[in-house]
Amino acid sequence: MFTNKEKFKASFAEKLMTLCGKDLLEATNLEKYQALASLLMEHINRQWLKTNQEYTENGDKQIYYFCIEFLLGRMLGSNLLNMGIKDLCEEALAELGINFAALQGEEPDAGLGNGGLGRLAACYLDSMASLHLPGHGCGIRYDYGLFEQKIIDGYQVELPDDWLKHGNPWEVRRDDRTVEVKFGGKVCTENQDGKTVYRLEDYDAVKAVPYDMPMIGFKNHTVNTLRLWKAEPARSDFDFNAFNRGEYLKATDYKNSVAAISRVLYPNDNFEAGQILRLKQEYFFASAGVQSIVNRHKRKFGSVHNLAEKVAIHINDTHPALVIPELMRLLIDEEGLFWEEAWQITTRTMSYTNHTVLPEALEKWPIDMFKKLLPRIFILVHEINERFCACMWDQYPGEWQRIRDVAITADGFVHMAHLAIAGSHSVNGVAELHTKILEKETMHKFYDFSPHKFNNKTNGITHRRWLLLANPDLARLVTSTIGHTWVHCPSELENLHKFAEDPSFQEQFAAIKQKNKEKLAKWLQDNYVVKIDPHSIFDIQIKRIHAYKRQTLNVLHIMHLYNRLKENPNLDVTPRTFIFGGKAAPGYYDAKKTIKLINTLAEVVNRDPDIRDKIKVVFAENYNVSFAELLIPAADVSEQIPTASKEACGTGNMKFMLNGAVTIGTLDGGNIEISKAVGDENIIIFGLNAREVINFYRHGGYSSWEVIHNDVRVKTVLEQLVNGFFPVVREEFRNFYEAFRHYDEFFVLRDFASYVDAQKQVQEKYRDKAKWFSMCVHNVASSGLFSSDRTFSEYALEIWNVKPNIIGEALPVFSPESLFVAGRYPEMPYVQH
Ligand SMILES: *Cc1c(COP(=O)(O)O)cnc(C)c1O
């Protein structure tokens, strides 16, 4: 590799010449970025091959993480970081007069995900490689990722995300690994030696072409694979024949309908629209992925009988759940196994993570649609259902309703979560509370039937991207204070606790936070001509816009604060900048209105001379991973305020904590574990808890009427939504007004008073600088628990039964077992298989 800067500079100039035919003077930043990426890929490819050879030679168990989204962000920085040559490369480029940040700016975000789910999958790939686990991703190579968001006149406008416009230097197309996926057709059966054999005829064939991206471990010479599938027409001759017959339209129809499968990511977060194209996408990558796994396995072992010992397939949310019937199909139809053995292998191979309890997010497919698109798969699902219900019947004879509630096909639908649970040996939730809710509420009938399947794996984030890369100054300060071991073993961050009250450490921490805030302020000024005060409190809520995440609660509080300042312009308010960011699903009316509401509020507040810049409201356009890397290190306050019981876990909360922001939040999802880790005095908690919320729901919700009539502050802000307070058409925000009054489903008004008190606490605590910075530092020090390395070690040991595979020279001082040193982490549940 690059051992010194001179070598690097020479290789870079050479690459620029051979790739672009230009020298350093002439080449554009885009060309320089492409040359750099291409140069790095030469080295990555070498290591990639070695890793694969090692895995194959050792016959290691391979983990395949299936997810319909991977929200990777940019790769240049994290690849250099993980290769261990980021500083060398940046310095060498500087010596050539090239600004590294400018090259980085040329890389578009790989935005193949909506939010938390896809970003989680990306963090896990980073951890798997960094823990030497033979773990690979499997997904879809969308031509267009999540839309680009523009704000025009306060409204969200969606633009296509043409992320492949200049190609993707981090991928390799693998034509030799192409497989065929079959849609439609009819199932024919025939009797062979007393056995019924199934064959699909008159189907539409689609070619699935894999594009592999290297997933590089942190300084450990491991390169795993993210395999993303692209849909292409299977038969090019079909087109020509059709053209020859003059059927131009039919020919292009076919091509278009095939290409549509991997054309665009569905832009919904926590919501399923039930479109047939989505079902096609799901079967497309499930089938292609499973086929390529079985092919590899057979190349190595020559048989499928030991598949479950050598392969683990993980189903991340229900979108990939068709891997279950697809593996059954391959084992029975192609490999000739009997049902019992095929089912044994399948259930021992599969494991499933549930990500939500929101009913609108639980996938179900109309049986008619399913049957027509996937006739053979439907027969298998039907048979799985019959056998599963029969087992239930044995345990609960006569309990029709119970069996109907767990059936995979019922009420005219295929229930994907039921399929995923029935076909997996492990089902996990993503935070302690979420898992409890699954076990005791949403999935309790499955839990009663097979409690041993259920377990919890609290989400995590990679501290490499979210601290080392995003906040290098803070990372350096941590290392110079407690040494470098935390980089391999993030739980070592605990050693920072003893510096939390140290004035000189606080001073250094504060200087870094201030620098990050100034960097963000300058960026907003340069890009959006928004002026914010870098000495104000940066209070940030960035995440998808969703009613349950309650951006509206934040808005109502700002309106209230504004009202108080109008009443008394001399009110003693610490200047605060409220920053919002996030995309709304294009078809989600209330979410889009929320964006308009925030922008309208910004107009009112920011322009009012009475306010004298004491409060500012900013909507950060086009929130994505790269923007998050700029925003989070600059945050003082992290807004994590969903209705308790609704946010399965969250990961944004963890990124803020790692960067030393103080959380104001509800006792929901991961917030509960964050508050346990940092202690009550280092977090600000408010609002109803999950038990209270669930109790209200049991009794038909709560009445907001009382709250409105007993709290004049609530009444005032509510009326302001419709009384001309905002410079918009009068009815613009009536939807919120009516909803809050008639059915405040997410307890916004109910939690208002408690939230206002909590915000007062934020201000009081912030004013005591010594206290505030000690809170910040305790947050960083307690955040090691939320490293995805911890999460993934738990998945590996407790679900997949995989031990890390140590390769290369630079052995890390970290091994997953070291997490289990007595007392380091509380309550590791043991999971039986
Ligand atoms: C982390 C992250 C999310 C998830 O944020 P939550 O606050 O957990 O909902 C969404 N989008 C991006 C770009 C992220 O980086």
Side-chain angles (χ1 to χ4, degrees):
M1 248 220 296
F2 306 110
T3 43
N4 66 56
K5 285 188 253 177
E6 294 315 312
K7 260 193 180 164
F8 173 83
K9 287 195 275 189
S11 319
F12 178 71
E14 172 76 12
K15 190 77 201 171
L16 200 55
M17 213 233 332
T18 54
L19 189 77
C20 312
K22 288 197 180 168
D23 63 15
L24 285 163
L25 278 175
E26 260 185 285
T28 64
N29 277 342
L30 176 63
E31 287 166 327
K32 287 176 197 156
Y33 156 69
Q34 286 168 333
L36 178 56
S38 161
L39 179 62
L40 295 176
M41 275 300 270
E42 289 175 8
H43 294 267
I44 295 166
N45 277 330
R46 198 164 297 140
Q47 210 54 51
W48 205 355
L49 178 66
K50 268 198 201 152
T51 302
N52 279 325
Q53 285 170 340
E54 294 244 17
Y55 288 162
T56 306
E57 274 164 32
N58 299 344
D60 296 320
K61 185 170 187 179
Q62 304 291 302
I63 303 156
Y64 298 97
Y65 194 82
F66 278 65
C67 189
I68 203 160
E69 310 189 350
F70 286 92
L71 190 49
L72 297 167
R74 290 175 176 147
M75 299 312 299
L76 178 60
S78 67
N79 283 347
L80 284 168
L81 179 79
N82 287 2
M83 291 166 83
I85 55 169
K86 183 150 183 293
D87 291 340
L88 179 145
C89 172
E90 264 184 67
E91 286 165 25
L93 287 171
E95 287 171 20
L96 294 172
I98 298 168
N99 177 265
F100 176 73
L103 296 205
Q104 207 169 16
E106 293 294 332
E107 177 173 2
D109 269 46
L112 310 186
N114 277 284
L117 180 82
R119 184 53 233 173
L120 186 77
C123 281
Y124 286 175
L125 292 177
D126 186 77
S127 282
M128 283 200 280
S130 297
L131 293 171
H132 321 290
L133 291 168
H136 316 283
C138 182
I140 298 174
R141 182 181 178 273
Y142 301 104
D143 298 333
Y144 295 89
L146 185 61
F147 62 85
E148 189 192 333
Q149 178 191 58
K150 282 260 175 244
I151 302 299
I152 296 176
D153 189 27
Y155 294 102
Q156 167 175 293
V157 173
E158 301 97 25
L159 302 180
D161 167 49
D162 192 4
W163 74 292
L164 291 169
K165 187 165 48 189
H166 302 295
N168 174 12
W170 308 111
E171 71 184 11
V172 177
R173 181 180 161 111
R174 294 294 305 269
D175 279 292
D176 58 324
R177 295 283 182 253
T178 294
V179 297
E180 199 176 76
V181 178
K182 299 170 183 174
F183 292 100
K186 59 174 194 277
V187 180
C188 306
T189 55
E190 91 196 38
N191 196 305
Q192 278 179 12
D193 311 326
K195 193 175 161 191
T196 309
V197 177
Y198 293 83
R199 214 179 47 250
L200 198 61
E201 283 179 0
D202 296 333
Y203 54 83
D204 289 322
V206 171
K207 206 163 80 175
V209 186
Y211 284 71
D212 289 352
M213 289 180 74
M215 294 293 126
I216 303 171
F218 184 70
K219 297 185 187 173
N220 68 357
H221 303 262
T222 305
V223 182
N224 288 341
T225 303
L226 168 58
R227 176 159 282 186
L228 299 176
W229 297 93
K230 178 176 195 270
E232 291 184 3
R235 296 153 294 149
S236 58
D237 61 341
F238 179 94
D239 305 314
F240 291 119
N241 289 337
F243 270 117
N244 291 342
R245 292 196 302 273
E247 295 172 8
Y248 304 113
L249 287 178
K250 206 170 160 199
T252 49
D253 270 1
Y254 167 72
K255 273 185 104 165
N256 286 337
S257 74
V258 169
I261 295 172
S262 55
R263 180 81 78 217
V264 60
L265 167 77
Y266 273 91
N268 301 318
D269 189 64
N270 276 311
F271 180 83
E272 280 305 324
Q275 311 260 359
I276 189 164
L277 180 58
R278 175 73 161 190
L279 183 57
K280 274 191 197 168
Q281 291 185 335
E282 293 184 358
Y283 182 65
F284 171 71
F285 92 105
S287 173
V290 172
Q291 288 185 59
S292 87
I293 290 166
V294 171
N295 288 344
R296 178 193 182 275
H297 183 82
K298 283 174 68 186
R299 278 199 303 277
K300 164 76 186 166
F301 298 100
S303 128
V304 290
H305 296 286
N306 67 340
L307 190 81
E309 282 88 72
K310 293 296 176 186
V311 167
I313 294 180
H314 199 79
I315 303 169
N316 196 37
D317 213 332
T318 56
H319 319 115
L322 296 177
V323 292
I324 292 166
E326 176 66 4
L327 182 56
M328 289 297 284
R329 183 186 73 78
L330 289 177
L331 295 179
I332 294 171
D333 295 0
E334 314 268 327
E335 303 298 329
L337 268 56
F338 285 104
W339 183 280
E340 286 71 18
E341 192 192 358
W343 186 243
Q344 272 279 329
I345 293 175
T346 300
T347 50
R348 286 172 62 210
T349 303
M350 304 293 175
S351 48
Y352 158 60
T353 300
N354 174 284
H355 281 274
T356 180
V357 296
L358 299 178
E360 65 270 27
L362 290 178
E363 285 194 292
K364 49 181 193 177
W365 296 107
I367 282 179
D368 292 341
M369 180 199 280
F370 193 105
K371 219 177 187 167
K372 211 169 155 199
L373 187 69
L374 307 167
R376 175 60 183 134
I377 295 298
F378 181 75
I379 292 171
L380 289 159
V381 169
H382 186 72
E383 181 70 25
I384 292 170
N385 181 53
E386 295 276 299
R387 289 171 185 250
F388 183 65
C389 291
C391 288
M392 273 276 180
W393 182 263
D394 282 347
Q395 184 144 342
Y396 304 103
E399 294 193 37
W400 284 108
Q401 190 54 45
R402 178 186 289 270
I403 288 158
R404 199 167 300 143
D405 289 346
V406 297
I408 298 162
T409 52
D411 323 318
F413 290 96
V414 176
H415 296 265
M416 296 287 273
H418 299 187
L419 174 64
I421 297 173
S424 299
H425 68 272
S426 166
V427 176
N428 75 280
V430 291
E432 282 168 11
L433 173 70
H434 170 60
T435 301
K436 278 262 143 54
I437 292 174
L438 287 179
E439 292 175 354
K440 302 287 175 234
E441 306 275 332
T442 337
M443 302 297 173
H444 78 94
K445 286 182 180 135
F446 292 95
Y447 177 71
D448 294 346
F449 180 60
S450 39
H452 60 278
K453 274 190 190 180
F454 285 73
N455 62 95
N456 178 58
K457 298 284 169 282
T458 299
N459 283 166
I461 54 165
T462 166
H463 60 290
R464 287 167 289 273
R465 180 177 289 263
W466 295 109
L467 186 57
L468 285 164
L469 192 64
N471 200 345
D473 291 336
L474 183 55
R476 257 191 296 276
L477 173 63
V478 172
T479 297
S480 72
T481 309
I482 61 168
H484 67 272
T485 53
W486 69 275
V487 175
H488 284 300
C489 187
S491 60
E492 297 286 317
L493 285 168
E494 280 175 9
N495 295 325
L496 274 178
H497 281 302
K498 52 181 174 291
F499 295 91
E501 278 79 30
D502 176 338
S504 112
F505 184 79
Q506 283 194 359
E507 198 180 306
Q508 296 173 73
F509 177 90
I512 290 165
K513 184 61 80 180
Q514 192 53 39
K515 188 175 155 198
N516 292 337
K517 288 167 76 171
E518 272 157 26
K519 185 174 159 201
L520 174 61
K522 181 174 183 316
W523 195 90
L524 290 171
Q525 171 82 46
D526 292 349
N527 291 275
Y528 296 123
V529 207
V530 179
K531 202 172 160 57
I532 61 174
D533 172 10
H535 295 287
S536 62
I537 302 174
F538 280 17
D539 178 318
I540 306 189
Q541 186 174 21
I542 42 175
K543 49 184 76 248
R544 288 299 290 251
I545 313 290
H546 220 297
Y548 84 82
K549 290 179 185 273
R550 300 202 296 191
Q551 280 88 0
T552 48
L553 178 58
N554 194 342
V555 165
L556 294 186
H557 167 255
I558 299 169
M559 289 167 67
H560 167 65
L561 196 57
Y562 174 84
N563 292 341
R564 288 180 63 210
L565 268 168
K566 288 297 275 188
E567 263 168 41
N568 175 11
N570 294 320
L571 192 73
D572 189 15
V573 170
T574 306
R576 196 174 324 191
T577 304
F578 294 94
I579 301 173
F580 292 83
K583 294 175 185 175
Y588 188 171
Y589 181 85
D590 276 9
K592 295 185 93 169
K593 278 284 182 195
T594 303
I595 292 175
K596 175 67 175 171
L597 178 62
I598 295 165
N599 282 306
T600 312
L601 177 65
E603 237 175 88
V604 172
V605 170
N606 299 352
R607 284 190 189 160
D608 191 330
D610 292 347
I611 299 305
R612 289 179 294 162
D613 292 340
K614 280 187 183 162
I615 51 179
K616 265 260 150 82
V617 179
V618 175
F619 189 90
E621 186 179 81
N622 201 39
Y623 175 57
N624 61 13
V625 171
S626 292
F627 206 173
E629 289 167 17
L630 181 66
L631 286 158
I632 293 170
D636 296 307
V637 178
S638 162
E639 295 273 354
Q640 308 299 337
I641 59 175
T643 312
S645 80
K646 296 290 179 185
E647 186 75 272
C649 180
T651 49
N653 45 7
M654 299 166 181
K655 299 168 198 165
F656 279 98
M657 177 195 195
L658 176 63
N659 282 275
V662 174
T663 303
I664 177 171
T666 44
L667 282 176
D668 195 21
N671 294 356
I672 296 175
E673 285 153 82
I674 289 177
S675 84
K676 271 200 233 167
V678 293
D680 293 343
E681 63 287 2
N682 296 310
I683 189 167
I684 295 161
I685 295 292
F686 73 96
L688 295 175
N689 65 31
R691 191 192 308 275
E692 291 164 332
V693 167
I694 290 169
N695 265 330
F696 272 120
Y697 282 133
R698 282 221 179 91
H699 300 99
Y702 87 107
S703 153
S704 57
W705 190 90
E706 259 175 65
V707 178
I708 296 165
H709 286 269
N710 292 331
D711 190 337
V712 64
R713 303 168 302 177
V714 173
K715 191 171 163 56
T716 307
V717 292
L718 195 61
E719 291 303 323
Q720 283 174 324
L721 290 172
V722 290
N723 70 5
F725 169 80
F726 287 115
V728 285
V729 218
R730 225 165 235 267
E731 298 301 301
E732 182 85 50
F733 303 127
R734 180 161 290 276
N735 60 313
F736 295 120
Y737 179 76
E738 297 296 344
F740 288 146
R741 275 170 20 124
H742 294 118
Y743 183 54
D744 180 12
E745 189 184 349
F746 297 103
F747 300 83
V748 173
L749 303 189
R750 179 64 216 247
D751 276 348
F752 178 86
S754 171
Y755 184 57
V756 170
D757 286 346
Q759 287 289 19
K760 272 191 202 130
Q761 281 183 55
V762 169
Q763 166 162 308
E764 277 157 27
K765 297 210 156 119
Y766 186 84
R767 286 179 177 189
D768 179 352
K769 282 292 147 74
K771 171 68 191 156
W772 182 262
F773 288 118
S774 89
M775 288 173 80
C776 298
V777 177
H778 282 304
N779 268 275
V780 182
S782 309
S783 66
L785 182 58
F786 303 104
S787 163
S788 44
D789 292 2
R790 185 270 310 157
T791 313
F792 242 73
S793 308
E794 292 178 14
Y795 274 93
L797 289 167
E798 298 168 16
I799 298 180
W800 304 318
N801 195 20
V802 170
K803 285 260 159 62
N805 173 49
I806 311 285
I807 58 166
E809 304 122 53
L811 298 183
V813 291
F814 174 87
S815 77
E817 281 88 349
S818 70
L819 285 165
F820 295 89
V821 172
R824 178 158 282 162
Y825 290 114
E827 300 162 38
M828 289 297 182
Y830 177 71
V831 184
Q832 292 174 303
H833 297 284

